C-alpha cells in the first residue's frame, strides 16, 4: 500500500514533462494545447492503472515516458474522420459512409468547395436564382415526374412531405409498412413530428384495399406507402398494388405518397437481382409524391429526393421547413454530376461506384482477390494461413435484405494469436480495415475493395504481420 502511494506521489509533473519535450514538440509542430492534453492523459492513465492494481510502478525512464507521450500525441493529431477499407462486402454500408462518389462527382464537389459558384445566381438574367433549379429538370427528365425538390436526406423528405400534405389531418398506412430503418428512424415517430395523425390499417402480414377504404374519413389527407427496406415478409402476405391505391385516392380526392427508401433509377434485374420498382415506374403509376435517398442505390451524396405532381411539390417547396432542410453546394454539385451519368445507362453502371460494385461479376472480383493473395503468399510466408473462398456480399442500405451477391474473399487465420485480435488490430491500421469474422477466420470480401486499394492493403498487411512476429 505504501509502495503504491509512493509511486503515485512520484508521478511526473505535467509542466516539467512539457518543458523536457519542448524541442521535440517544436520539431514535430505539435500544438502546445494538444501536447498538454496528451501528457495529462498519459499520466492519468498510469495513475488509474496503478490504483486499479493492473500496473506496478511507473515507467522507469524519462525516455519511456516520452515514448508514451509522443504516441498519444500522434494519435490525437490524426483526424477523427478517416478513410477506411471496406472489406465487409456490404456495398451501401451505412456505418462506413454509404455510397462512394464517382470521380466526376468528386471533381465537381472539389470545384464547388474551392471556388465561387452560381449556387443562387441566374447567369442568364444576372438576378438571384434558385439552388434547386440546377438539378430539378434533370431529376424530372430521368424520373418522368412533373416536379422535383431535394432536401438534406430521405428522412427529411418524408418529414416535409407529410408536414405539407397531412399536418393536423390523417394519413393512412398499412401495419405491414410501419418500419424502423435503423439509427432510430421510425415512420410513426416521423409522422408524429410532422403533425400528421397516423391511422394504421390491416394486419401485419396482410392489408387489403377495403382496409384503406374503411379508414377514410373527413379528416383523411393521405394514403401513405412505405418501402419495407430492411426486412421482408414471406408466407401468407398481401399488399395492395400501387395502381389500386392510386385509383382509390383519385375516387376519394386524396393524395398518395410512397417512401421508396433506396429508390433506384435502373432496373436491378439488369444486374441479375430480383425486381424492385424503379422510381420511374412508381411515378408512372400515378403516385402524387415519391421520396428516396441520394446515397443509397442512386450512388450519390446524402440527400432526400422528392418527385411528383407539380401542385403538391410546389406546396412542399413553399413549406418554411424547406429552408431548414436545404442541401448545401457540395451536395448539389455532386448530386448533379451523379444524376447526369444516368442519361446513359451503361455510363452510370461503369462510373457510379455503387452500381459498379453491385453489378461486378464474381470472376472479376476473384481476379482482384487473387492479386492480393499472390503478394501476401510471398510476403507473409507462414505467419498466417491464407485462402481464397467464395462468399456472399450484400447490397445494404435497406435494399434487397434477403438477397446475396456471389463474391470472393480472402480469409486470414493467424498462427500465433486469436482471430479477434486481428479484428481489433486491423481497426487500428493507418488506414483501418473493416472485415467480417466467419468460422474463426478474418474475411476480406473483395466486392467492396477497389482495384487501386490492393497495393495499400498488401503493404499494410505485410507490415502488420512482419512487425508483430
Ligand atoms: C433509408 C430509408 C429512409 C431514410 O433515408 P435517409 O436518406 O437515410 O434519411 C427512409 N425511409 C426508408 C424506407 C428508407 O429505406
Amino acid at each position: 500500500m505504501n509502495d503504491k502511494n509512493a509511486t503515485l506521489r512520484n508521478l511526473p509533473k505535467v509542466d516539467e514533462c512539457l518543458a523536457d519535450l519542448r524541442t521535440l514538440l517544436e520539431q514535430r509542430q505539435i500544438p502546445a494545447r494538444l501536447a498538454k492534453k496528451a501528457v495529462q492523459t498519459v499520466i492519468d492513465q498510469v495513475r488509474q492503472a496503478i490504483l486499479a492494481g493492473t500496473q506496478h510502478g511507473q515507467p522507469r525512464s524519462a525516455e519511456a515516458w516520452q515514448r508514451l507521450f509522443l504516441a498519444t500525441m500522434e494519435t490525437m493529431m490524426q483526424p477523427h474522420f478517416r478513410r477506411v477499407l471496406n472489406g465487409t462486402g456490404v456495398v451501401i454500408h451505412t456505418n462506413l459512409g454509404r455510397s462512394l462518389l464517382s470521380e466526376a462527382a468528386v471533381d465537381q464537389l472539389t470545384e464547388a468547395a474551392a471556388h465561387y459558384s452560381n449556387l443562387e445566381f441566374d447567369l442568364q438574367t444576372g438576378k438571384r436564382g434558385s439552388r434547386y433549379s440546377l438539378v430539378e429538370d434533370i431529376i424530372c427528365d430521368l424520373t418522368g415526374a412533373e416536379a422535383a425538390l431535394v432536401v438534406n436526406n430521405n428522412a427529411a423528405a418524408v418529414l416535409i412531405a407529410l408536414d405539407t400534405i397531412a399536418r393536423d389531418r390523417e394519413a393512412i398506412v398499412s401495419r405491414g409498412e410501419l418500419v424502423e430503418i435503423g439509427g432510430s428512424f421510425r415512420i410513426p415517430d416521423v409522422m408524429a413530428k410532422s403533425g400528421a395523425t397516423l391511422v394504421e390499417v390491416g394486419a401485419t402480414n396482410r392489408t387489403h384495399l377495403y382496409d384503406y377504404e374503411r379508414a377514410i374519413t373527413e379528416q383523411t389527407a393521405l394514403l401513405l406507402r412505405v418501402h419495407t427496406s430492411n426486412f421482408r415478409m414471406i408466407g401468407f402476405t398481401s399488399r395492395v398494388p400501387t395502381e389500386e391505391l392510386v385509383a382509390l385516392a383519385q375516387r376519394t380526392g386524396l393524395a398518395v405518397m410512397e417512401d421508396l427508401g433506396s429508390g433506384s433509377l435502373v432496373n436491378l434485374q439488369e444486374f441479375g437481382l430480383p425486381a424492385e420498382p424503379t422510381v420511374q415506374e412508381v411515378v408512372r403509376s400515378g403516385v402524387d409524391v415519391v421520396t428516396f435517398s441520394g446515397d443509397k442505390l442512386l450512388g450519390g451524396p446524402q440527400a432526400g429526393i422528392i418527385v411528383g405532381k407539380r401542385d403538391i411539390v410546389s406546396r412542399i417547396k413553399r413549406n418554411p421547413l424547406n429552408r431548414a432542410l436545404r442541401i448545401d453546394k457540395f451536395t448539389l454539385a455532386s448530386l448533379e454530376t451523379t444524376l447526369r451519368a444516368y442519361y446513359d445507362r451503361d455510363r452510370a453502371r461503369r462510373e457510379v461506384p455503387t452500381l459498379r460494385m453491385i453489378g461486378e461479376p464474381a470472376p472479376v472480383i476473384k481476379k482482384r482477390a487473387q492479386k492480393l493473395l499472390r503478394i501476401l503468399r510471398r510476403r507473409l510466408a507462414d505467419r498466417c494461413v491464407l485462402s481464397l473462398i467464395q462468399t456472399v456480399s450484400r447490397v445494404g442500405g435497406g435494399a434487397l435484405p434477403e438477397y446475396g451477391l456471389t463474391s470472393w474473399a480472402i480469409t486470414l487465420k493467424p498462427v500465433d494469436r486469436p482471430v479477434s485480435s486481428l479484428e481489433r488490430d486491423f481497426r487500428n491500421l493507418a488506414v483501418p480495415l473493416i472485415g467480417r469474422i466467419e468460422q474463426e477466420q478474418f474475411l476480406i470480401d473483395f466486392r467492396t475493395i477497389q482495384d487501386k486499394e490492393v497495393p495499400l492493403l498488401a503493404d499494410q498487411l505485410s507490415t502488420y504481420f512482419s512487425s508483430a512476429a
Side-chain angles (χ1 to χ4, degrees):
M1 193 62 212
N2 277 341
D3 246 23
K4 213 185 218 180
N5 284 337
T7 316
L8 286 173
R9 264 198 310 279
N10 289 331
L11 285 174
K13 304 275 173 293
V14 174
D15 289 341
E16 289 168 14
C17 295
L18 285 171
D20 291 344
L21 282 165
R22 227 187 65 204
T23 324
L24 265 176
L25 296 182
E26 265 166 32
Q27 275 168 4
R28 301 194 188 185
Q29 304 198 335
I30 301 175
R33 209 197 287 209
L34 208 143
K36 186 169 179 184
K37 188 172 161 193
V39 169
Q40 284 169 334
T41 305
V42 171
I43 295 177
D44 201 50
Q45 278 166 356
V46 171
R47 179 182 295 114
Q48 297 304 331
I50 293 170
L51 278 171
T54 52
Q55 176 173 333
H56 306 286
Q58 49 167 299
R60 269 176 231 297
S61 61
E63 287 72 35
W65 275 108
Q66 288 205 350
R67 269 196 303 278
L68 287 175
F69 294 148
L70 288 170
T72 304
M73 287 173 205
E74 295 284 328
T75 314
M76 285 182 174
M77 299 249 294
Q78 283 205 359
H80 290 315
F81 189 95
R82 287 162 71 192
R83 160 191 185 180
V84 305
L85 292 159
N86 177 5
T88 65
V90 180
V91 179
I92 307 169
H93 197 306
T94 293
N95 302 141
L96 304 184
R98 288 200 182 159
S99 284
L100 312 185
L101 296 176
S102 66
E103 276 174 36
V106 171
D107 287 347
Q108 245 337 68
L109 189 146
T110 315
E111 184 92 349
H115 306 283
Y116 290 111
S117 57
N118 63 339
L119 180 65
E120 290 189 353
F121 184 77
D122 187 327
L123 291 171
Q124 241 136 41
T125 63
K127 300 212 168 73
R128 187 175 200 281
S130 148
R131 63 178 64 204
Y132 302 110
S133 64
L134 301 174
V135 284
E136 196 178 327
D137 59 334
I138 302 176
I139 298 173
C140 291
D141 276 353
L142 294 171
T143 61
E146 290 175 7
L149 171 66
V150 184
V151 290
N152 187 50
N153 56 18
N154 188 34
V158 173
L159 175 72
I160 192 173
L162 288 176
D163 186 274
T164 308
I165 304 165
R167 161 163 288 280
D168 299 327
R169 304 206 31 210
E170 294 175 355
I172 303 176
V173 63
S174 159
R175 289 201 170 86
E177 300 175 1
L178 292 171
V179 295
E180 173 173 320
I181 307 298
S184 72
F185 176 85
R186 279 185 178 163
I187 278 297
D189 299 343
V190 174
M191 299 193 68
K193 275 285 170 222
S194 76
T197 303
L198 186 67
V199 178
E200 301 171 18
V201 296
T204 304
N205 57 332
R206 288 171 76 86
T207 302
H208 306 279
L209 191 65
Y210 59 72
D211 291 319
Y212 288 95
E213 250 169 334
R214 284 176 194 162
I216 295 173
T217 69
E218 289 285 291
Q219 283 308 306
T220 310
L222 179 71
L223 306 181
L224 173 67
R225 162 149 275 179
V226 184
H227 193 283
T228 53
S229 291
N230 49 13
F231 77 100
R232 280 287 172 278
M233 287 198 296
I234 52 168
F236 189 56
T237 64
S238 124
R239 166 178 197 268
V240 177
T242 304
E243 286 74 12
E244 289 182 26
L245 215 54
V246 169
L248 173 63
Q250 281 168 355
R251 272 204 315 278
T252 48
L254 299 173
V256 182
M257 165 171 155
E258 176 144 0
D259 170 17
L260 262 183
S262 219
S264 179
L265 294 179
V266 299
N267 188 339
L268 295 176
Q269 281 177 304
E270 287 175 27
F271 299 84
L273 293 161
E276 279 275 318
T278 60
V279 178
Q280 300 89 300
E281 284 162 3
V282 178
V283 167
R284 215 178 306 131
S285 69
V287 169
D288 298 279
V289 183
V290 183
T291 68
F292 57 101
S293 281
D295 57 352
K296 289 184 181 171
L297 280 171
L298 186 71
Q302 178 190 304
I305 301 173
I306 303 172
V307 297
K309 303 273 169 66
R310 185 168 289 110
D311 55 334
I312 289 198
V313 174
S314 306
R315 277 167 55 207
I316 299 174
K317 280 182 188 165
R318 290 195 302 270
N319 189 324
L321 269 180
N322 192 15
R323 180 62 171 75
L325 303 176
R326 77 176 185 184
I327 53 170
D328 64 18
K329 58 185 177 181
F330 310 115
T331 304
L332 202 56
S334 50
L335 181 63
E336 182 187 359
T337 311
T338 306
L339 288 166
R340 280 187 185 279
Y342 280 90
Y343 276 116
D344 174 350
R345 204 65 74 72
D346 293 329
R347 208 184 116 201
R349 285 188 60 165
R350 269 195 321 273
E351 293 182 5
V352 177
T354 299
L355 290 188
R356 192 181 65 227
M357 283 187 263
I358 292 172
E360 191 164 57
V364 181
I365 299 173
K366 185 178 185 184
K367 274 223 174 87
R368 190 158 61 241
Q370 279 169 328
K371 210 153 77 184
L372 180 71
L373 189 66
R374 274 194 299 275
I375 307 176
L376 292 184
R377 285 239 156 94
R378 248 190 350 257
R379 297 198 200 161
L380 302 193
D382 48 8
R383 295 203 184 100
C384 183
V385 183
L386 299 162
S387 66
L388 181 67
I389 61 159
Q390 200 176 69
T391 186
V392 175
S393 32
R394 305 269 162 199
V395 173
L400 309 166
E402 86 287 28
Y403 191 79
L405 302 155
T406 303
S407 183
W408 287 86
I410 290 183
T411 65
L412 296 95
K413 194 175 168 62
V415 291
D416 57 350
R417 73 200 81 177
V419 68
S420 58
S421 65
L422 276 199
E423 189 270 334
R424 188 199 56 224
D425 292 346
F426 287 178
R427 271 190 281 119
N428 289 301
L429 292 172
V431 181
L433 167 64
I434 318 296
R436 311 199 290 268
I437 290 186
E438 274 176 24
Q439 297 171 348
E440 291 302 301
Q441 295 178 318
F442 188 90
L443 234 85
I444 309 171
D445 186 328
F446 271 69
R447 183 174 294 280
T448 44
I449 298 289
Q450 317 295 306
D451 256 327
K452 53 180 186 282
E453 289 176 330
V454 171
L456 172 67
L457 203 47
D459 287 345
Q460 290 203 119
L461 291 178
S462 25
T463 310
Y464 171 76
F465 281 103
S466 57
S467 66

